[in-house]
């Protein structure tokens, strides 16, 4: 056959090149036929098949676990809600068309939300200030990570210097440019027709610009995963859901999805324990990754504080997944239902806390604090405590003038002074603001004169009012707020600085002129000329800047209002009326008219509102305004209640955070974010005397025959302390020494503890012996509670005064609760805990928490018997505890910290005496005397042991009966 073919080819005599051409022609025909089949005959079919071949895995979020109290009552749980999601699933011919479309969607979403009084829920670290400018709301790593995300850099180190140092205004300008989201296009401006066809205005307001940028930014974070939608707003109303669904076809990529929000029960009393959740920032995600938790998405919701944060990895649900089919643009075409892996719920955390006991203790504490405050307010402008100059002052005599109460309404933002100048301000608000403007003009003229005249008065010769203005100007405004006066550059030993800050012997003008010459002033913060100014010019520019900048400074404005009050330019009555005008108080026409006509005094009005708790101690932030209670199970070390007053509403911080509320809490002078139970350190006062008694007995000093004669003063050392009972207690043994809280008895025990073998008293030896036993009680370390807690400070001076809880001792209420738990349990030193157990969503126990025992104190039963007898005597001698209906043992304490302010009130105790079950530690900061803390404990025990109905205990009004400001310890 081969030979025949060769013969035929030879006959045809074709050239090789001709054969090659023929081969190419045939191949070309075949190729054309194939292309026709692929693109014309089967093009659509093959295109669909090609799209379907691209698969991606999409995450399905798990739900967060619940937090429950010891009785199974939910404290934190999830509730069904609806969220707006956005997916970049459009197909665009040009980038210009894409930007116009997405900006339209963002613009419309913002206005839909705004119409329904809702906001976006996007982590974005630029905010719009009142003056219409943009500013960062984060610093350090979080701010830098945000900037890197905007510029599309994976690592902060990749940022150029000018990018890293970009201001918020510059970053917003970049985002608005055609390089990023093209809200404006300077190179090829959008035509009116383009804007109109896309439903966009010719210009955006600063608020619109920010919100559009936020939505475009969050969408851009998923630019490589377009099949994964981003959340724009959470927990939206039915009205918003309806409008979005109605307009879904015109809003490219927008949809409504079922979601969940975090809900908290017993918010006010439980919030400091539970904490709250929120969107994770870059730093938090980085920290979780370093701990090995790499599955958190960029929009993950995590615990921000409290148990929510401590137990984050237990509570966080496990994500599921599903396979989706997407086109080349990332648009979802289909979902593979068989691939679905269901997400799972996080674990449930059970606390040892009894939420009912917690709630009652919180309200009892608030009622008593309000009662103390109301009873110590006097109808006066000022108050001066006698004896401050010579050291004979008695803090029990401190009183609060009513003008301080009026001023507190402004100082602690109960009244919004910014609203005085708002368009919808009431006539009274406008009147008060007009008076303020006159005062402001007058004061600025005085300050300007002091800054510019030839021979200004030295600070100490100025009137008190002007001193306060100048002090604020330097310390608060120039140093703390603006950093114009650099605290890092100031030489605190410089004679001129000393003359200003301590001796008060130079004028403000002389100090600032000197500071300018020493380069302590950062010129760039108020003048563009900077290095080109000499000293005189720097000072001139600064003085011009100050009077202008202070016009909008809220803190300085508050100072002006303070002196307007004291000058009767504005009256207390006007401020009381403004409480109604601004909606702080519920409308009450009769009371409003009575105040306005003068038939009701502002003084009486404020006392009534404090007594009824319509105005709370926390709102006023005067002494007292805070307190704490910790209750333990003395047989297990479990914490039954951990109360700090004031609390806050964590429902307003979780989910879509109420930023105004958060800012107000941060500025609140009563410091609601500062846990008074675990973070506030004060001297323990006479509650410490049990340590001294135990040390004396266990060291063999205090025997059955040991006694001390109390004459009212301890005279074994120079300048020895007095007993609280100046007339003396007479002869005391260890039981009566504890019962009567005798300083002289405890001082003698400390003296004997510090006396060496040669009969010489050593302060250090005395302190060492006391510290040994304080350590056994756990008073030299944290309590173990799984919350942020300050470490205790054991006294390092004056063994005698340290023996009855003064010296430099500093301890938290939680540490005192651990201490009284050890006393009640006769020496078992528990590591306190808030956690009971962790279960999975089916109720199976994953981890069982039992408070650890640090050790049993090596203390004799005889010592414990005597200590308990002494503490029983305290209760029997106390009017609140002696006929309570349950036997109590306790120890009171009153701790002086500042001679110009009331002392702290403390009580530790346990009940029942015969068979101890619970331990209680109470502290009222600046609560005058221990009897006030005892009264709080009394009402808590009444509730705990069913000695009265809750309605009798929690009345919603101040506990005014038997206010005590007299010391008995």
């Amino acid at each position: 056959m081969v030979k025949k073919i060769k013969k035929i080819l030879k006959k045809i005599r074709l050239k090789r090149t001709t054969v090659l051409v023929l081969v190419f022609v045939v191949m070309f025909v075949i190729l054309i036929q194939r292309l026709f089949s692929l693109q014309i005959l089967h093009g659509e079919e093959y295109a669909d098949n090609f799209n379907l071949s691209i698969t991606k895995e999409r995450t399905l979020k798990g739900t967060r676990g619940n937090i429950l109290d010891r009785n199974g009552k939910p404290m934190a749980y999830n509730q069904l809600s609806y969220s707006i999601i956005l997916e970049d699933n459009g197909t665009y011919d040009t980038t210009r068309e894409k930007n116009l479309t997405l900006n339209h969607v963002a613009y419309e979403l913002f206005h839909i939300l705004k119409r329904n009084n809702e906001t976006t829920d996007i982590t974005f670290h630029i905010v719009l200030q009142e003056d219409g400018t943009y500013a960062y709301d984060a610093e350090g790593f979080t701010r830098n990570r945000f900037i890197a995300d905007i510029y599309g850099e994976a690592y902060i180190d990749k940022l150029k210097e000018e990018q890293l140092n970009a201001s918020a205004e510059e970053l917003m300008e970049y985002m608005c440019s055609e390089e990023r989201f093209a809200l404006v296009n300077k190179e090829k401006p959008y035509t009116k027709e383009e804007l109109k066809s896309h439903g966009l205005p010719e210009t955006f307001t600063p608020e619109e610009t920010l919100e559009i940028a936020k939505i475009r930014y969050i969408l851009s974070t998923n630019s490589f995963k377009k099949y994964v939608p981003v959340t724009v707003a959470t927990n939206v109303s039915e009205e918003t859901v309806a409008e979005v669904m109605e307009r879904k076809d015109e809003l490219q990529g927008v949809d409504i999805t079922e979601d969940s929000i975090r809900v908290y029960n017993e918010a006010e009393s439980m919030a400091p324990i539970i904490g709250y959740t929120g969107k994770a920032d870059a730093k938090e995600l980085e920290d979780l990754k370093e701990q090995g938790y790499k599955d958190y998405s960029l929009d993950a919701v995590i615990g921000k504080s409290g148990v929510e944060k401590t137990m984050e990895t237990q509570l966080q649900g496990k994500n599921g997944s599903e396979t989706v089919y997407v086109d080349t643009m990332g648009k979802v075409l289909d979902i593979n239902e068989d691939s679905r892996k269901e997400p799972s719920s996080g674990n449930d955390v059970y606390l040892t806390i009894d939420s009912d006991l917690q709630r009652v203790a919180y309200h009892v504490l608030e009622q008593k604090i309000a009662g103390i405050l109301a009873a110590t307010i006097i109808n006066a402008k000022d108050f001066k405590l006698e004896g401050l100059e010579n050291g004979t002052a008695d803090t029990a005599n401190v009183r609060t003038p009513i003008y301080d109460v009026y001023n507190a309404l402004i100082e602690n933002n109960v009244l919004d002074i910014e609203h005085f100048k708002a368009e919808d301000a009431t006539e009274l608000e406008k009147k008060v603001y007009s008076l303020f403007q006159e005062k402001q003009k007058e004061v600025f003229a005085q300050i300007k004169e002091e800054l510019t005249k030839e021979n200004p008065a030295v600070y100490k010769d100025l009137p008190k009012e002007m001193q306060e203005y100048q002090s604020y100007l330097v310390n608060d405004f120039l140093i703390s707020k603006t950093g114009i006066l650099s605290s890092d550059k100031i030489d605190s030993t410089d004679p001129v600085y000393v003359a200003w800050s301590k001796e008060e012997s130079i004028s403000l003008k002389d100090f600032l002129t000197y500071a300018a010459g020493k380069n302590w002033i950062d010129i760039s913060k108020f003048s563009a000329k900077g290095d080109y100014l000499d000293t005189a010019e720097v000072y001139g520019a600064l003085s011009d800047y100050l009077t202008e900048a202070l016009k909008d400074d809220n803190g300085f404005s508050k100072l002006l209002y303070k002196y307007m009050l004291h000058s009767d330019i504005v009256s207390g009555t006007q401020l009381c009326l403004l409480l109604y005008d601004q909606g702080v108080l519920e409308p009450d026409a009769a009371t409003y008219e009575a105040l306005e006509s003068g038939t009701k005094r502002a003084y009486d009005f404020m006392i009534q509102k404090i007594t009824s708790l319509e105005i709370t101690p926390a709102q006023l932030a005067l002494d007292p305004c805070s307190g704490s209670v910790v209750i333990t199970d003395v047989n297990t070390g479990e914490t039954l209640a951990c109360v700090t007053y004031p609390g806050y509403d964590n429902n307003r911080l979780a989910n879509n955070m109420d930023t105004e509320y958060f800012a107000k809490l941060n500025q609140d002078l009563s410091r609601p974010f500062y846990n008074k139970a675990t973070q506030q350190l004060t001297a323990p006062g006479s509650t410490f005397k049990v340590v001294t008694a135990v040390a004396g007995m266990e060291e063999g000093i205090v025997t059955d025959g040991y006694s001390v004669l109390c004459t009212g003063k301890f005279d074994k050392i120079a300048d020895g302390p007095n007993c609280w009972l100046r007339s003396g207690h007479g002869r005391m043994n260890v039981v009566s020494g504890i019962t009567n809280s005798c300083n002289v008895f405890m001082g003698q025990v400390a003296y004997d503890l510090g006396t060496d073998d040669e009969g010489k008293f050593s302060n250090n030896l005395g302190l060492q012996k006391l510290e040994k036993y304080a350590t056994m009680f756990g008073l030299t370390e944290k309590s173990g509670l799984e919350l942020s807690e300050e470490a205790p400070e054991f006294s390092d001076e004056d063994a005698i005064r340290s023996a009855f809880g003064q010296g430099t001792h500093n301890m938290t209420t939680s540490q005192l609760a651990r201490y009284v738990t050890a006393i009640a349990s006769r020496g078992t030193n528990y590591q306190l805990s808030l956690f009971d157990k962790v279960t999975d969503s089916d109720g199976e126990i994953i981890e069982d928490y039992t408070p650890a025992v640090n050790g049993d104190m090596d203390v004799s039963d005889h010592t414990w018997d005597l200590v308990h007898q002494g503490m029983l005597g305290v209760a029997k001698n106390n009017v609140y505890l002696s006929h309570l209906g349950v036997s109590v043992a306790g120890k009171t304490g009153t701790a002086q910290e500042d001679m110009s302010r009331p002392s702290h009130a403390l009580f530790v105790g346990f009940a029942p005496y015969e068979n101890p079950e619970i331990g209680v530690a109470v502290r009222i900061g600046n609560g005058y005397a221990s009897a006030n803390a005892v009264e709080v404990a009394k009402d808590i025990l009444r509730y705990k042991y069913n000695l009265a109905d809750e309605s009798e205990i929690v009345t919603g009004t101040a506990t005014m009966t038997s206010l005590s400001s007299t010391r008995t310890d």
Side-chain angles (χ1 to χ4, degrees):
M1 177 63 72
V2 175
K3 290 181 179 180
K4 289 182 179 180
I5 293 172
K6 286 182 178 180
K7 287 180 181 181
I8 292 170
L9 290 173
K10 284 180 180 180
K11 289 180 181 180
I12 298 174
R13 297 188 178 193
L14 291 175
K15 294 181 180 181
R16 291 181 179 178
T17 55
T18 303
V19 173
L20 190 60
V21 169
L22 288 172
V23 170
F24 275 117
V25 169
V26 172
M27 290 176 66
F28 183 73
V29 170
I30 293 170
L31 178 62
I32 292 296
Q33 185 273 336
R34 188 62 180 159
L35 286 172
F36 182 80
S37 175
L38 287 171
Q39 294 189 10
I40 306 302
L41 298 180
H42 302 288
E44 186 175 349
E45 176 187 349
Y46 286 138
D48 290 342
N49 289 337
F50 174 73
N51 284 334
L52 290 170
S53 68
I54 302 175
T55 61
K56 296 290 183 181
E57 187 174 78
R58 181 160 65 183
T59 299
L60 303 173
K61 292 182 180 179
T63 55
R64 196 171 181 83
N66 301 314
I67 302 173
L68 307 99
D69 80 347
R70 70 186 295 109
N71 300 312
K73 292 183 178 180
M75 296 292 102
Y77 61 96
N78 306 306
Q79 183 173 290
L80 178 67
S81 67
Y82 294 97
S83 295
I84 298 177
I85 57 173
L86 177 60
E87 189 178 323
D88 185 6
N89 58 9
T91 302
Y92 315 102
D93 294 330
T94 63
T95 301
R96 185 183 184 91
E97 175 64 23
K98 174 183 177 179
N99 283 323
L100 282 166
T101 301
L102 292 179
N103 289 341
H104 160 70
V105 171
Y107 176 79
E108 291 299 325
L109 283 179
F110 162 64
H111 280 286
I112 290 172
L113 290 167
K114 189 173 183 179
R115 278 193 293 274
N116 294 309
N117 296 315
E118 294 170 326
T119 60
T120 54
D121 185 12
I122 298 169
T123 301
F124 192 82
H125 294 296
I126 294 177
V127 294
L128 182 64
Q129 301 187 112
E130 289 182 4
D131 62 0
T133 60
Y134 300 108
Y136 291 114
D137 71 350
E139 298 177 347
F141 177 86
T142 299
R143 171 185 173 276
N144 295 341
R145 180 62 264 167
F146 171 68
I147 293 173
D149 288 340
I150 295 297
Y151 283 111
E153 296 292 351
Y155 302 100
I156 295 171
D157 295 344
K158 296 290 185 181
L159 288 170
K160 298 175 183 176
E161 186 175 350
E162 60 269 24
Q163 291 176 329
L164 188 60
N165 295 323
S167 67
E169 292 280 349
E170 290 168 337
L171 205 62
M172 284 298 297
E173 185 177 351
Y174 168 73
M175 281 187 278
C176 291
S177 72
E178 53 271 23
E179 288 184 70
R180 204 69 172 95
F181 306 136
L183 275 73
V184 294
N185 195 322
K186 293 181 179 179
E187 290 186 9
K188 295 181 180 179
Y190 298 125
T191 65
K192 289 184 179 180
E193 290 74 19
E194 283 180 307
L195 294 171
K196 185 177 180 180
S197 66
H198 287 87
L200 291 170
E202 293 184 25
T203 59
F204 297 111
T205 66
E207 184 184 19
E208 290 171 338
T209 301
L210 178 64
E211 293 302 320
I212 294 171
K214 285 166 72 172
I215 294 172
R216 291 295 309 273
Y217 160 75
I218 194 64
L219 191 62
S220 72
T221 60
N222 269 13
S223 58
F224 297 104
K225 293 183 178 180
K226 293 185 179 181
Y227 52 89
V228 178
V230 296
T231 302
V232 173
T234 58
N235 193 28
V236 294
S237 64
E238 292 181 5
E239 291 77 11
T240 295
V241 171
E243 185 168 356
V244 169
M245 294 304 292
E246 185 180 331
R247 299 179 58 188
K248 187 176 172 183
D249 290 342
E250 68 174 273
L251 298 174
Q252 178 70 45
V254 175
D255 205 351
I256 297 291
T257 186
E258 284 189 358
D259 205 344
S260 63
I261 58 169
R262 201 66 164 166
V263 179
Y264 300 107
N265 288 332
E266 306 294 355
E268 195 173 22
S269 64
M270 290 293 294
I273 293 177
I274 302 297
Y276 58 94
T277 58
K279 292 281 183 68
D281 62 33
K283 179 68 168 64
E284 289 166 331
L285 290 173
E286 191 74 19
D287 290 344
L288 284 165
K289 284 182 180 178
E290 288 177 3
Q291 295 169 33
Y293 302 102
K294 300 179 180 180
D295 295 334
Y296 283 83
S297 61
L298 290 175
D299 63 346
V301 173
I302 66 169
K304 292 285 189 175
S305 68
V307 173
E308 291 276 29
K309 181 177 181 179
T310 303
M311 301 298 279
E312 164 59 30
T313 55
Q314 290 278 15
L315 291 163
Q316 189 67 234
K318 292 187 175 72
N319 292 334
S321 65
E322 64 182 2
T323 300
V324 295
Y325 299 96
V326 300
D327 62 16
T328 54
M329 298 299 293
K331 182 178 179 180
V332 176
L333 301 171
D334 198 6
I335 300 172
N336 184 347
E337 298 294 345
D338 295 333
S339 69
R340 186 178 177 90
K341 295 178 182 177
E342 293 295 337
S344 59
S345 298
N347 295 325
D348 293 337
V349 175
Y350 285 79
L351 305 179
T352 60
I353 298 293
D354 179 337
S355 61
D356 292 331
L357 182 62
Q358 176 92 1
R359 180 191 65 252
V360 169
Y362 181 88
H363 290 301
V364 164
L365 187 60
E366 180 178 53
Q367 288 173 182
K368 187 58 195 175
I369 293 171
I372 301 168
L373 177 61
T376 52
I377 294 172
I378 58 172
N379 191 15
K381 280 188 177 181
D382 298 292
F383 173 77
K384 184 177 181 180
L385 183 63
E386 293 182 6
L388 271 179
E389 295 81 3
N390 58 19
T392 61
D394 185 349
T395 58
N397 295 326
V398 174
R399 293 294 180 266
T400 301
I402 189 62
Y403 273 65
D404 284 5
V405 179
Y406 300 147
N407 185 60
L409 297 174
I410 289 176
E411 184 66 25
N412 203 33
N413 303 310
V414 180
L415 290 172
D416 180 6
I417 59 176
E418 292 299 316
H419 195 266
F420 292 177
K421 57 184 176 183
E423 287 184 12
D424 61 344
T426 64
E427 287 304 313
L428 180 56
E429 285 179 302
K430 291 175 183 177
K431 180 180 180 180
V432 170
Y433 183 65
S434 176
L435 294 169
F436 167 79
Q437 288 179 301
E438 292 177 17
K439 176 70 174 178
Q440 186 184 60
K441 183 178 179 181
E442 173 193 324
V443 170
F444 282 175
Q446 293 170 356
I447 292 174
K448 187 75 173 177
E449 182 183 7
E450 290 296 325
L451 289 171
T452 56
K453 69 182 180 183
E454 194 71 26
N455 295 304
V458 301
Y459 183 88
K460 64 183 176 183
D461 293 339
L462 291 168
K464 181 183 176 183
E465 181 177 346
M466 183 54 67
Q467 284 183 342
E468 198 163 349
Y469 292 147
Q470 291 192 5
S471 178
Y472 177 89
L473 195 152
V474 173
N475 299 327
D476 294 82
F477 187 75
L478 290 178
I479 295 178
S480 298
K481 288 190 176 181
T482 64
I484 289 174
L485 196 55
S486 174
S487 57
D488 294 331
K489 291 182 179 179
I490 292 174
D491 178 4
S492 59
T493 63
D494 186 289
V496 175
Y497 180 73
V498 171
W500 164 258
S501 61
K502 295 181 180 179
E503 298 171 358
E504 302 179 351
S505 57
I506 61 172
S507 68
L508 176 63
K509 177 183 178 181
D510 291 338
F511 171 64
L512 291 179
T513 303
Y514 183 80
K518 297 292 287 186
N519 292 320
W520 293 349
I521 292 176
D522 185 347
I523 308 166
S524 66
K525 291 183 181 290
F526 59 88
S527 175
K529 296 181 180 179
D531 298 336
Y532 302 102
L533 300 178
D534 60 26
T535 299
E537 289 172 325
V538 168
Y539 176 76
L542 177 61
S543 60
D544 289 338
Y545 165 80
L546 285 175
T547 50
E548 191 62 35
L550 286 174
K551 286 181 181 178
D552 298 317
D553 184 78
N554 191 262
F556 195 79
S557 295
K558 288 178 179 180
L559 263 183
L560 294 175
Y561 277 112
K562 173 184 173 179
Y563 282 101
M564 287 170 68
L565 264 169
H566 278 263
S567 303
D568 294 318
I569 297 171
V570 171
S571 69
T573 297
Q574 288 174 313
L575 297 187
C576 291
L577 290 168
L578 287 173
L579 291 171
Y580 289 109
D581 283 13
Q582 293 198 350
V584 177
L585 296 176
E586 292 293 324
D588 182 347
T591 302
Y592 194 96
E593 184 180 339
L595 277 169
E596 205 168 26
S597 65
T599 56
K600 179 180 280 292
R601 295 188 305 171
Y603 169 78
D604 297 325
F605 171 84
M606 286 307 304
I607 297 297
Q608 289 170 6
K609 294 306 174 186
I610 294 168
T611 303
S612 65
L613 291 175
E614 292 172 81
I615 297 292
T616 66
Q619 286 177 288
L620 297 173
L622 298 168
D623 290 336
C625 67
S626 67
S628 53
V629 177
V630 179
I631 305 171
T632 62
D633 182 328
V634 299
N635 296 307
T636 65
E638 293 179 340
T639 306
L640 305 179
C642 182
V643 175
T644 172
Y645 178 84
Y648 56 91
D649 185 355
N650 45 356
N651 286 298
R652 296 178 67 178
L653 302 182
N655 311 307
N656 191 0
M657 177 182 278
D658 183 337
T659 53
E660 286 186 14
Y661 180 64
F662 181 76
K664 189 171 183 178
L665 291 175
N666 268 323
Q667 296 165 8
D668 196 321
L669 299 176
S670 67
R671 303 177 69 187
F673 284 144
Y674 179 66
N675 193 314
K676 312 303 187 299
T678 62
Q679 293 177 298
Q680 184 182 33
L681 290 165
T682 72
S686 294
T687 63
F688 186 84
K689 288 174 179 175
V690 172
V691 175
T692 304
V694 170
M697 288 186 279
E698 290 301 302
E699 290 294 316
I701 290 168
V702 178
T703 61
D704 290 345
Y706 183 91
S707 67
V708 175
L709 179 64
C710 172
T711 61
K713 184 175 179 64
F714 182 75
D715 56 7
K716 295 289 182 70
I717 60 171
D719 193 27
N722 295 315
C723 191
W724 66 265
L725 186 63
R726 298 296 177 88
S727 60
H729 286 104
R731 189 157 296 279
M732 295 277 105
N733 59 23
V734 69
V735 173
S736 60
I738 294 171
T739 294
N740 292 284
S741 197
C742 181
N743 289 350
V744 172
F745 178 86
M746 297 299 167
Q748 184 63 52
V749 173
Y751 187 86
D752 292 340
L753 286 168
T755 301
D756 60 22
D757 294 338
E758 297 179 359
K760 293 181 179 179
F761 171 70
S762 166
N763 198 59
N764 288 337
L765 179 59
L767 287 170
Q768 288 171 15
K769 293 285 181 67
L770 290 172
E771 187 172 10
K772 171 185 172 182
Y773 287 89
T775 300
M776 291 169 66
F777 276 108
L779 283 174
T780 57
E781 62 183 15
K782 294 181 182 181
S783 70
L785 288 181
E786 297 88 350
L787 296 171
S788 179
E789 183 177 17
E790 291 295 320
E793 299 167 2
F794 188 84
S795 182
D796 59 1
E797 64 181 37
D798 197 343
I800 304 303
R801 287 176 174 81
S802 296
F804 40 87
Q806 296 293 339
T808 58
H809 288 309
N810 268 317
M811 293 157 192
T812 66
T813 310
S814 54
Q815 289 146 18
L816 293 178
R818 182 190 194 189
Y819 162 59
V820 78
T821 301
I823 295 171
S825 63
R826 302 175 77 90
T828 303
N829 189 355
Y830 289 104
Q831 192 83 354
L832 299 187
S833 178
L834 291 169
F835 299 128
D836 180 15
K837 61 186 176 184
V838 173
T839 71
D840 63 19
S841 56
D842 295 323
E844 294 294 322
I845 294 178
I846 293 174
E847 190 167 356
D848 193 4
Y849 289 83
T850 300
V853 176
N854 282 3
D856 290 316
M857 295 172 63
D858 186 15
V859 172
S860 71
D861 285 339
H862 182 59
T863 294
W864 288 124
D865 288 342
L866 296 178
V867 165
H868 283 202
Q869 288 174 34
M871 294 177 71
L872 178 65
V874 171
K876 284 185 173 181
N877 289 349
N878 188 282
V879 65
Y880 300 122
L881 302 177
S882 57
H883 298 94
L884 186 57
V886 60
S887 55
V888 181
K891 186 69 198 78
T892 58
T894 305
Q896 289 182 349
E897 185 175 353
D898 182 340
M899 290 302 294
S900 65
R901 299 176 68 184
S903 298
H904 305 302
L906 300 104
F907 173 76
V908 297
F910 60 87
Y913 172 76
E914 299 80 10
N915 185 23
E917 295 174 351
I918 67 167
V920 182
V922 180
R923 175 172 53 201
I924 302 176
N926 306 110
Y928 284 85
S930 60
N932 298 320
V934 172
E935 195 168 3
V936 170
K938 175 205 72 174
D939 281 340
I940 291 171
L941 291 170
R942 287 172 70 207
Y943 171 79
K944 175 66 179 173
Y945 288 101
N946 299 311
L947 303 173
D949 290 337
E950 182 178 339
S951 59
E952 295 178 46
I953 299 167
V954 179
T955 62
T957 58
T959 305
M960 299 292 292
T961 56
S962 305
L963 167 72
S964 176
S965 59
T966 304
R967 288 191 59 176
T968 57
D969 46 54

